[in-house]
Amino acid sequence: RLKIDAPRATIDSGGPYLGGISSKVSGFIMAHDLIPVLRRSPPYPRMLKLRGIEGYVLVEFTVTERGLVLDPVIIESRPHEDFGKSVVRTVRYWKFKPYRLDDKPTAVRVRQGIDFTME
């Protein structure tokens, strides 16, 4: 099971838990401060799942004024880089309601934590 920092209602079933995200800090915001329009859970890497290996990924990306995701970068992927690869391939297709600053859509840098756990 995957855990992504976000309310469970916004996540498709069967994937990681996309956990919550906090307010603007150090030039980025956490994903839970945005309203997801389209967000699927990254697939659990097959070989890691078969071996029972759990992991964690911290990804950072830009959400544009139109709510599209650009430039995902893995900040941390442990214990295996395949967790991060799965996340990058997936987050490129996420969409959010644009972040608004002074009532205008604004591009913003976002961080999202994702736990890959077995149940």
Side-chain angles (χ1 to χ4, degrees):
R1 178 175 162 217
L2 298 175
K3 294 182 181 178
I4 299 176
D5 295 327
R8 290 182 188 265
T10 64
I11 301 168
D12 65 340
S13 61
Y17 169 68
L18 306 176
I21 298 181
S22 60
S23 52
K24 192 163 184 165
V25 177
S26 302
F28 65 88
I29 64 170
M30 298 308 282
H32 73 254
D33 289 332
L34 298 173
I35 299 169
V37 174
L38 174 64
R39 181 164 57 185
R40 294 183 182 262
S41 297
Y44 210 112
R46 186 173 183 266
M47 290 308 295
L48 298 176
K49 187 173 188 176
L50 290 173
R51 293 179 182 161
I53 298 172
E54 298 183 339
Y56 173 77
V57 174
L58 179 61
V59 62
E60 185 175 302
F61 50 89
T62 298
V63 174
T64 69
E65 297 89 347
R66 295 177 46 213
L68 304 175
V69 170
L70 294 178
D71 307 321
V73 174
I74 299 302
I75 305 300
E76 181 177 0
S77 180
R78 64 175 198 257
H80 199 280
E81 67 182 16
D82 284 355
F83 288 120
K85 290 176 182 178
S86 175
V87 169
V88 166
R89 284 190 303 265
T90 303
V91 301
R92 293 176 192 269
Y93 298 100
W94 288 359
K95 294 181 183 174
F96 296 88
K97 285 195 174 186
Y99 184 78
R100 298 186 79 76
L101 186 62
D102 296 327
D103 206 32
K104 294 191 318 193
T106 304
V108 65
R109 199 74 183 154
V110 177
R111 284 199 174 176
Q112 173 74 67
I114 301 170
D115 289 310
F116 289 80
T117 58
M118 307 293 294
E119 283 192 357

